[in-house]
Amino acid sequence: MSQTRVFTRYWLALIGEWPWQATPTLPPELICTPLWFPFNIYHFASWARATIIPLSVLSARRPVKALPPDARLDELFPAQRANFDYRLTPKKRFFSWEGFFLMTDRLLSRYVEFPIQPGRERAIRLCIEWVIRHQDADGAWGGIQPPWIYSLMALHTEGYGITHPVVANGIKALDAHWSYERDGGLYIQASESPVWDTVLTLQALLDSGRSPVDCESMTRAIDWIVQKQVTAPGDWQVKVSSVMPGGWSFERANDSYPDVDDTAVAILVLARGRKAHSDPTAIDYAMKRAVRWILALQSSNGGWASFDRDNTNSLLTKLPFCDFGEVLDPPTVDVTAHVVEALAHLGWTLRDRPIARALAFMKYRQEEDGSWFGRWGVNHIYGTAAVLPALAAIGEDLSAKYVGRAGDWIVEHQNPDGGWGETPASYVDDSLRGVGDSTASQTAWALMALLAIPTFRYDQFIQSGIEYLLSMQHDGTWHEPQYTGTGFPGYGVGSRLHGESHERIISIQQGLEVGRGFMINYNLYRHYFPLMALSRARSRIEACGRDAVAELVASTQLRSLTEIGFVKSLPTTDPRRRRYHGRISGRRLFRKTAKLLSRRF
């Protein structure tokens, strides 16, 4: 119990099982601080910001709904409550930022009980106004469950009844698309991903050769995506005010927090489906706004984060109440790669400065083993699979040594069954990178990474991966109980701990169970990613077949020119073989071409 984190302590305090004095203090006065102040709320990641503001109201008011005496959680305190040490303890030496903030937290905790609190009521009122102003259209907050639940609690604590429109809409969302029934129980989703799933499904259909011309569902999906573009103001404008809104959100009704990753894939599919759509003008306008928005959010190091620009103030992670997960949103390679790939489909190349800066960022972030870290997917397979197609799209030299190292890393981690898999424990133990049970989505990512490199070196590994997907397919899809999506790796800083020792890993109190992390099982990953991979493999095989035919034609023409004396033929040791040399080569090419073209899924 002494190692419990902030969310657990807050929940136990709310039901009277933990003293509020022993919870990390979250002062609502943060909302009053200027932007230059290092702990201003807009220096936190978007999801942390939306969670912290309602929690600060609860921390200041300290409400308690105590459990009945016969239902108290005495089993949590086997040595009796009176003997339990509730105090927060620093994870490092006393003379450190953690130690300093711990002492500050104790002073703030005393301030909550002080009879005179100048400015506190005004700060709480500003927090409540902020919460009301940020409610999503569907009644939730921030597009995720924690700020939604804490906002309802904060409003209730401040006297907002269940009939108040804001509270009523928040509660109503529980019965809408946020909840689902399973095994006789009612569950609330941590988040939802309709925009993300729609754009990736469109990408898979486009890869497979389907077109909006002959697929009505694709036309409807494209129209829906255009309509879902966020044109309302959002929190990102606090630091980036020079551009109009134009992104897309991960969820269906989260206008305050559009994200770069969804926007990049939306641009990609709109660019690819534009010509076949009935109203390309509307698509052009949407893409123009989106590209301008994305370019404005490029960070100073050349990369892109998900929600904000240059959200990298690591001092925030030292605060006692920031142990609940990622509180920063730094630029990451996977998001940057998706942006690069999207811009490439619009004609951007390495000669364009934003692309060149992004490429430098991706090169710098490559791991020593050749892979790339995956921030929003598990893990190095996901990161590497994001980068390599992006490099191919912008015309990078794919024979470069660093590209070969990435491809070699992928094939080195292929499982004996032909598939690929990686456990979320790889976020804690580097030796587990690329190690895990084979899954459909991760196998697809690995295949797409290898297929992006135009070399025959990886053909046998690609073929084995294809055979794995085909052998594991059932009723058109794949079973995937593993969690291959990432919400929070659990580091606090939002990115990999570069150059950190094993002791630093231990200090964040996270074992191989990834207790501080938040992993996601996307129900549709098992469907559209394998479709993408198989479709791209088919295109690769057909292209190889066409190349073989072209080679055959060129070889035949060369033989004819040789026979009429325009080109000298190479001498052979046996004159009798010279007559049949061209015919033998032609037959070999014919057999090779037939074998390639006959290979179908």
Side-chain angles (χ1 to χ4, degrees), residues 516-533:
R516 288 173 52 98
F518 167 45
M519 302 298 148
I520 306 173
N521 186 322
Y522 288 92
N523 289 324
L524 294 181
Y525 272 19
R526 69 201 70 185
H527 308 313
Y528 47 66
F529 280 123
L531 177 58
M532 285 186 205

Side-chain angles (χ1 to χ4, degrees), residues 6 10 76 252 312 360 386 473 493 515 548 593:
V6 61
Y10 277 132
L76 297 179
R252 74 186 72 206
T312 55
Q473 187 181 32
V493 297
T593 303

Side-chain angles (χ1 to χ4, degrees), residues 417-452:
D417 60 8
W420 280 267
E422 185 171 1
T423 170
S426 62
Y427 285 110
V428 179
D429 187 346
D430 286 347
S431 68
L432 295 177
R433 292 181 186 179
V435 176
D437 295 335
S438 296
T439 69
S441 60
Q442 290 169 323
T443 298
W445 298 339
L447 284 172
M448 288 188 285
L450 296 178
L451 289 165

Side-chain angles (χ1 to χ4, degrees), residues 87-146:
R87 293 177 302 171
L88 293 170
T89 56
K91 301 179 179 66
K92 287 190 174 182
R93 63 188 185 277
F94 182 79
F95 292 103
S96 62
W97 278 116
E98 287 89 346
F100 171 76
F101 290 133
L102 184 62
M103 290 297 298
T104 304
D105 180 81
R106 290 173 182 171
L107 293 175
L108 289 172
S109 182
R110 298 293 184 270
Y111 178 71
V112 175
E113 301 168 349
F114 200 68
I116 302 175
Q117 300 171 338
R120 169 137 294 190
E121 291 302 319
R122 179 176 179 271
I124 291 176
R125 184 175 70 253
L126 290 174
C127 287
I128 293 297
E129 291 174 358
W130 192 96
V131 166
I132 293 173
R133 190 168 62 250
H134 281 74
Q135 187 176 31
D136 298 334
D138 63 352
W141 276 269
I144 53 177
Q145 182 247 67

Side-chain angles (χ1 to χ4, degrees), residues 219 222-223 226 273-285:
T219 301
I222 289 175
D223 290 339
V226 172
R274 173 190 174 279
K275 293 183 179 178
H277 195 265
S278 59
D279 188 9
T281 303
I283 292 179
D284 290 343
Y285 180 71

Side-chain angles (χ1 to χ4, degrees), residues 347-384:
W348 292 62
T349 67
L350 289 168
R351 293 187 296 273
D352 296 296
R353 179 169 172 77
I355 298 293
R357 293 177 62 218
L359 178 61
F361 169 78
M362 290 190 291
K363 285 184 176 180
Y364 177 75
R365 290 299 180 95
Q366 187 177 24
E367 304 289 339
E368 292 183 1
D369 59 13
S371 66
W372 277 276
F373 175 80
R375 167 61 180 87
W376 296 101
V378 182
N379 175 353
H380 289 262
I381 293 178
Y382 180 81
T384 308

Side-chain angles (χ1 to χ4, degrees), residues 32 54 56 111 132 159 188 195 200 246 295 347 442 528 544 554 563 594:
C32 302
S56 69
Y111 178 71
I132 293 173
I188 302 174
V195 173
L200 287 173
L295 292 177
Q442 290 169 323
Y528 47 66
C544 289
E563 289 176 352

Side-chain angles (χ1 to χ4, degrees), residues 476-491:
T477 188
W478 289 263
H479 179 60
E480 185 172 285
Q482 295 88 349
Y483 284 61
T484 63
T486 307
F488 301 149
Y491 301 141

